[in-house]
Structures are given as structure tokens and as C-alpha cells.
């Protein structure tokens, strides 16, 4: 889905198309039943997941009132009744186990969110995270070394798009983004 399809706010973060595509690929939701999106922002990851996989139950957690309003509008716009929007500050009480969790925003509680995510994943479930701050990347990698995970992967995505400048063209860069993915130890019958 192109970024300009989503309603966006001035101060509401959104996972951009190239990063979103890579994150969704690593989440491997094709056989999943439940997906949790933490720090959902505009809801771009939740919405694209819900549209690609109509059988998927999506739980989107967000605390920013502007983001919650935009996400609700986007959910209505794309007719995605399989998305449940939760107004809350993660980690929150949630009586659910998921096949995959995406952390798009940490609110300064990254290690707690990693632990919460792993606790809310089926064995063999996927955890995917994106960051633009080096400190968050370092914190996540250091913490994951102590967790019951395997198949740890990390990418740095650096994308630039063609733009005009006067009578010429140049590539306007986006912020480099770090993408981490891993599996919770154990196996799961859903064939993820």
C-alpha cells in the first residue's frame, strides 16, 4: 500500500511503505490467527496486515489521542473490522496470545515491551521491531541476547526517493531504519 493512501497527522508517526513491506514480510502472517501491533501510530502496519489477511485478528495498541483518532478513521476508510484498537500505554494487561507482534514505538520502555511481547507470543511466534535511534537498536539487541529466542536477524534499511531540485533531480533520503526480527523459542502448530 502506498503511504499516501493513509490519512496522516502532523505529529502521528507512520511506518513507511518500504519499511512496512519488510516488516510484514518478516512477520509472516499468511497462516497467523492473531497479530499485535504495539505503538501503532496511524495504523499503517495493522491496516495493511488486516487487508492482506482478512482472516487475521489484529490488536493495535496506541496511547496518543491524535494517533488513535487517525487510526480509527483509517480503519473505517479501509473497512477493516478485524482490527481492534486499544487505547493504552503498553505494556498493558491483555488476555491474548498472538502468532506475531510488531513493536513500532516503545515509549521508552523497550525492554519491558520485548518481555511483554515474548510473553504474549505462542512458541515459535514472531517478534519484529523497527527503530530509527541507535540507542534503541543497541538496547534491543543487548536485551534479546538474554531472551529465549532464535533466528535473530537485523537489517539497516536506508531508502532515498527521487525528488526534483530546480531543473534537476536528486535522491531525498529517509531516516535509516533498523529492523529486528526473531522467533520465540519452541514450536507452534500453526505452521508459521
Amino acid at each position: 500500500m502506498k503511504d499516501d493512501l493513509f490519512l496522516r497527522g502532523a505529529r502521528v508517526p507512520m511506518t513507511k511503505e518500504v519499511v512496512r513491506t519488510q516488516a510484514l514480510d518478516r512477520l509472516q502472517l499468511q497462516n497467523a490467527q492473531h497479530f499485535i501491533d504495539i505503538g501503532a501510530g496511524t495504523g499503517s502496519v495493522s491496516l495493511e496486515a488486516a487487508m492482506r489477511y482478512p482472516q487475521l485478528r489484529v490488536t493495535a495498541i496506541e496511547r496518543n489521542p491524535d494517533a488513535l483518532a487517525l487510526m480509527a478513521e483509517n480503519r473505517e476508510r479501509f473497512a477493516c473490522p478485524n482490527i481492534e484498537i486499544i487505547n493504552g500505554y503498553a505494556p498493558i494487561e491483555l488476555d491474548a496470545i498472538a502468532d506475531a507482534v510488531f513493536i513500532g514505538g516503545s515509549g521508552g520502555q523497550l525492554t519491558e515491551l520485548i518481555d511483554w511481547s515474548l510473553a504474549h507470543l505462542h512458541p515459535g511466534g514472531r517478534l519484529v521491531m523497527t527503530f530509527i535511534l541507535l540507542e534503541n537498536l543497541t538496547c534491543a539487541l543487548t536485551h534479546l541476547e538474554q531472551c529465549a529466542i532464535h533466528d535473530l536477524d537485523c537489517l539497516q534499511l536506508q531508502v532515498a526517493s527521487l525528488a526534483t531540485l530546480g531543473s534537476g533531480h536528486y535522491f531525498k533520503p529517509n531516516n535509516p531504519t533498523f529492523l529486528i526480527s526473531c522467533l520465540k523459542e519452541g514450536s507452534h502448530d500453526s505452521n508459521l
Side-chain angles (χ1 to χ4, degrees):
M1 294 176 65
K2 298 292 183 193
D3 289 341
D4 59 5
L5 294 175
F6 299 97
L7 298 174
R8 298 189 55 195
R11 296 187 156 241
V12 177
M14 182 175 92
T15 303
K16 304 289 190 305
E17 179 184 355
V18 173
V19 175
R20 188 172 60 249
T21 300
Q22 290 294 317
L24 287 166
D25 181 59
R26 280 162 179 69
L27 286 163
Q28 295 187 6
L29 299 171
Q30 60 273 13
N31 296 318
Q33 295 176 5
H34 186 208
F35 165 56
I36 299 172
D37 181 0
I38 301 172
T42 59
S44 65
V45 173
S46 290
L47 287 157
E48 188 157 350
M51 291 183 70
R52 279 192 195 183
Y53 310 106
Q55 85 290 351
L56 184 66
R57 182 169 63 101
V58 178
T59 302
I61 303 169
E62 178 57 56
R63 65 182 180 170
N64 177 332
D66 293 335
L68 288 161
L70 269 175
M71 194 183 335
E73 286 182 61
N74 277 318
R75 178 180 63 184
E76 190 71 25
R77 179 180 187 160
F78 294 108
C80 292
N82 52 333
I83 299 176
E84 175 189 12
I85 299 172
I86 296 179
N87 178 355
Y89 190 88
I92 64 169
E93 288 291 324
L94 188 64
D95 187 23
I97 301 295
D99 301 293
V101 175
F102 175 70
I103 300 175
S106 67
Q109 299 202 32
L110 185 54
T111 57
E112 294 88 346
L113 287 178
I114 291 171
D115 292 343
W116 182 93
S117 297
L118 291 171
H120 285 81
L121 277 172
H122 289 294
R126 298 189 170 280
L127 174 60
V128 176
M129 301 169 267
T130 58
F131 311 106
I132 59 171
L133 297 178
L134 284 169
E135 291 80 4
N136 284 345
L137 172 68
T138 303
C139 177
L141 290 173
T142 301
H143 188 68
L144 286 169
E145 288 177 0
Q146 306 164 31
C147 296
I149 59 137
H150 60 94
D151 290 353
L152 177 66
D153 186 37
C154 183
L155 296 175
Q156 178 186 13
L157 303 172
Q158 194 154 1
V159 178
S161 301
L162 188 66
T164 58
L165 180 63
S167 62
H169 295 84
Y170 77 108
F171 281 91
K172 182 179 180 180
N174 290 336
N175 285 326
T177 302
F178 307 104
L179 189 146
I180 295 176
S181 61
C182 61
L183 297 176
K184 181 177 177 176
E185 281 190 355
S187 61
H188 185 284
D189 294 333
S190 72
N191 298 318
L192 283 178

